[in-house]
Amino acid sequence: MQPWYINAVFYQLYLRAFNDSDNDGHGDFTGLRQRLDYLEWLGVDCVWIMPMYRSPLRDDGYDISSFYGIHPTYGVLEDFQMTVEEMHRRGLRVIVDMVVNHTSDQHPWFQEARRSKDSPMRDFYVWSDTDEKYREARIIFLDTEPSNWTFDPLTGQYYWHRFFSHQPDLNYDNPKVRQAMLDIFKFWLEMGIDGFRVDAVPYLYEREGTDCENLPETHEFLKELRRFVDEHYPGRLLLAEANQWPHDLLPYFGNGDEFQMCFHFPVMPRLYMALARQDRSSVVQIMADTPPIPESCQWATFLRNHDELTLEMVTPEDREYMWDTYAADRRYRINLGIRRRLAPLMDNDRRKIELMNSLLFTLPGAPVLYYGDEIGMGDDVTLPDRNGVRTPMQWIDDPSAGFSTSASPYSPIISDAVYGYHQVNVQSQQLDPNSLLHTIHRMIATRKTLPVLAKAPLDWLHELPLSSMCFWRRSSEGAVLALHNLSEEPLAVRLPDGTTFTDALNPDGGPCQGEITLGAYGYRWLVPSS
Ligand code: BGC
């Protein structure tokens, strides 16, 4: 029996944005429970809940001020537990974000640590008399942070942070920090969750003369974490957020003894590049550069998430190309990325939105959907930082969007003429069998009947024009011939002689054989039937 996550479809959900049950303007656990019918209907296997801990919310919860509670606007611990139980009752799994690299500067550990150089908590963080150390470590939030060091006038020393200056990095050289983190994992595993998406894992340790990423000490701790989880909570999932090249990602799988899953960051921007250039080459290349991973491991693949569409894993030339193509309006650019959702990136062209999703579902890996993209939600570029892609979920055609009747929701609801709640909402798309939502629903259901798509090798049909992405996925579990046309021009594909195929997405469409033609941005999932 293969582990559950290998062929799972994940759904990433921002709790604050999902559904507000008490109309205080923030989504909450009770609100999420009220929407579980929807997630069950959609057919996803596992929900990933973004950080729900106590936090000043200066980085939407990735700045944790207490690891042992729920943010008050989201409910109390019992609400969380009830939600996990209800999800399990419905056959849904749930993983939660855990931020291991840093805390909020409001966390009592940091508050105590910064009080004096002799504080017993001082060593929980990384301090220095100068800001000269670890100069080879890049700055990640380039637009806002001039340095990875911030001076703390209280004690006259600098503290280290890889992200915002209000997120001091924990000091993993301190065994007490490592133990504290294991205790935190234990606490949440005891609540019955199915695992964690572990945030920003490459940066746990710092060493002079290195870029302070992917260090052996970091892997040592992560392996210890995995041993701990396996020993006490076997079968729970650890999914790594490590925005790295495939060869640097491989050690995060270890020999199947570190993370079971890692996001495949580099393939994502290349899917957008391939579509814009009508040229599959960069995707073929990155998949060829992706090494095999242990049997028990899986890639998590995605088109969009709550962050900017990161362009860290492309060349400077390709980055310029992506910016020119997808963010000509400079307001859409942030750090080394693009702060837009899938539908606007595709100019709301339904054909392209479907095509990208089809690639997500048929290339190797377990797909992760970002809440709202299944209905083609838009973004709000007037909001700061990455907030424009974190607006409230649009449930119904009502100024509250069915999200919250609060007069001051945490974020404006998208209401423009193209992407507003009036045009784009769950209810109207559920009623319309031809909606994007129904197409995604069908892709999810079909994907589940084709377990071969999870891990089987990828064999490209190289003889076809570069403007196509056509490939076999074949193993003892079956075979799928996935066809994609990246261009407006019709694409003729000669199917292998003597084989008849069924279109898995449209089984009633009759058998396919001989030569078939894909229309503009067309796609087919063909299964040999004879
Ligand atoms: C998360 C970001 C967050 C950062 C700092 C990440 O990689 O995805 O949203 O800002 O970690 O915690």
Side-chain angles (χ1 to χ4, degrees), residues 12 48 50 59-63 97 99 101-102 140-141 163-164 167 197 199-200 203 241 265 305-308 385-386 390:
Q12 175 187 359
W48 150 26
M50 287 165 57
D59 186 15
D60 282 330
Y62 289 96
D63 48 334
D97 244 299
V99 185
N101 180 67
H102 47 266
I140 296 169
F141 286 165
F163 295 93
F164 288 123
Q167 289 166 318
R197 177 247 189 208
D199 185 67
Y203 319 108
E241 189 221 13
F265 274 93
N305 61 21
H306 63 297
D307 287 327
E308 67 272 31
D385 199 358
R386 294 147 292 172
R390 302 176 183 180

Side-chain angles (χ1 to χ4, degrees), residues 90-362:
R90 292 164 181 262
L92 285 163
R93 305 207 184 236
V94 55
I95 62 171
V96 299
D97 244 299
M98 182 50 72
V99 185
V100 289
N101 180 67
H102 47 266
T103 68
S104 160
D105 61 3
Q106 301 305 305
H107 195 290
W109 293 342
F110 189 71
Q111 294 288 312
E112 170 57 36
R114 79 187 327 181
R115 266 191 337 110
S116 98
K117 283 187 190 169
D118 306 322
S119 160
M121 299 305 286
R122 188 74 173 174
D123 262 1
F124 261 55
Y125 296 87
V126 181
W127 299 92
S128 164
D129 289 330
T130 77
D131 57 358
E132 298 291 308
K133 287 169 82 177
Y134 315 135
R135 294 197 78 99
E136 286 160 55
R138 70 193 164 116
I139 295 170
I140 296 169
F141 286 165
L142 279 168
D143 290 0
T144 43
E145 298 302 324
S147 165
N148 287 324
W149 291 107
T150 288
F151 186 68
D152 193 33
L154 256 69
T155 51
Q157 280 192 318
Y158 294 84
Y159 62 88
W160 179 249
H161 55 88
R162 293 309 302 269
F163 295 93
F164 288 123
S165 58
H166 58 76
Q167 289 166 318
D169 273 34
L170 287 163
N171 173 20
Y172 274 82
D173 276 316
N174 181 349
K176 288 188 182 147
V177 166
R178 302 198 296 269
Q179 187 55 50
M181 206 36 84
L182 295 185
D183 292 345
I184 291 163
F185 274 73
K186 179 174 176 359
F187 177 82
W188 292 100
L189 287 162
E190 285 291 325
M191 305 269 150
I193 57 165
D194 298 284
F196 296 91
R197 177 247 189 208
V198 191
D199 185 67
V201 291
Y203 319 108
L204 302 189
Y205 283 82
E206 301 73 37
R207 291 291 179 262
E208 207 53 79
T210 74
D211 63 2
C212 299
E213 299 188 19
N214 314 319
L215 295 177
E217 294 84 347
T218 294
H219 287 292
E220 219 171 278
F221 171 71
L222 294 170
K223 283 196 166 62
E224 184 186 345
L225 170 65
R226 173 66 185 277
R227 272 196 305 276
F228 173 79
V229 173
D230 277 0
E231 193 179 321
H232 302 284
Y233 308 94
R236 312 289 178 95
L237 171 67
L238 295 176
L239 160 59
E241 189 221 13
N243 186 356
Q244 302 287 330
W245 292 101
H247 59 265
D248 287 325
L249 276 168
L250 202 56
Y252 288 94
F253 292 113
N255 295 316
D257 58 356
E258 208 168 304
F259 286 92
Q260 293 100 324
M261 292 184 76
C262 293
F263 287 102
H264 197 313
F265 274 93
V267 73
M268 180 274 300
R270 286 168 177 77
L271 294 172
Y272 291 90
M273 237 147 62
L275 176 61
R277 289 186 170 136
Q278 305 184 10
D279 180 346
R280 67 172 173 265
S281 308
S282 60
V283 176
V284 174
Q285 188 60 50
I286 201 73
M287 295 313 290
D289 292 345
T290 299
I293 56 175
E295 185 79 17
S296 60
C297 294
Q298 177 62 306
W299 293 105
T301 49
F302 61 103
L303 297 172
R304 288 297 294 113
N305 61 21
H306 63 297
D307 287 327
E308 67 272 31
L309 189 171
T310 172
L311 302 173
E312 278 165 339
M313 295 293 126
V314 300
T315 63
E317 297 75 43
D318 285 342
R319 191 174 301 139
E320 287 303 325
Y321 174 79
M322 283 289 287
W323 269 331
D324 289 346
T325 310
Y326 288 109
D329 178 340
R330 288 180 172 262
R331 291 177 305 164
Y332 290 125
R333 303 181 188 184
I334 183 172
N335 298 320
L336 292 182
I338 300 173
R339 49 194 202 120
R340 304 197 77 183
R341 268 189 181 265
L342 177 64
L345 285 164
M346 297 294 107
D347 289 326
N348 210 22
D349 184 330
R350 173 78 182 270
R351 300 168 305 175
K352 294 184 186 175
I353 299 171
E354 287 190 23
L355 182 75
M356 289 291 276
N357 273 293
S358 172
L359 287 166
L360 178 71
F361 279 99
T362 55

Side-chain angles (χ1 to χ4, degrees), residues 326-449:
Y326 288 109
D329 178 340
R330 288 180 172 262
R331 291 177 305 164
Y332 290 125
R333 303 181 188 184
I334 183 172
N335 298 320
L336 292 182
I338 300 173
R339 49 194 202 120
R340 304 197 77 183
R341 268 189 181 265
L342 177 64
L345 285 164
M346 297 294 107
D347 289 326
N348 210 22
D349 184 330
R350 173 78 182 270
R351 300 168 305 175
K352 294 184 186 175
I353 299 171
E354 287 190 23
L355 182 75
M356 289 291 276
N357 273 293
S358 172
L359 287 166
L360 178 71
F361 279 99
T362 55
L363 284 168
V368 184
L369 307 177
Y370 183 49
Y371 87 93
D373 280 352
E374 74 276 23
I375 53 170
M377 264 172 61
D379 46 51
D380 184 345
V381 76
T382 66
L383 300 176
D385 199 358
R386 294 147 292 172
N387 299 5
V389 302
R390 302 176 183 180
T391 60
M393 182 70 177
Q394 294 166 202
W395 296 103
I396 57 172
D397 176 8
D398 179 275
S400 73
F403 160 70
S404 173
T405 56
S406 161
S408 51
Y410 76 93
S411 151
I413 294 166
I414 300 232
S415 57
D416 64 58
V418 180
Y419 301 103
Y421 57 84
H422 183 58
Q423 283 74 22
V424 177
N425 65 69
V426 169
Q427 189 180 53
S428 60
Q429 293 199 23
Q430 273 189 317
L431 292 171
D432 174 4
N434 297 315
S435 63
L436 175 63
L437 179 59
H438 273 279
T439 302
I440 302 292
H441 178 252
R442 189 161 56 248
M443 283 187 188
I444 296 171
T446 308
R447 154 96 194 198
K448 288 208 203 151
T449 66

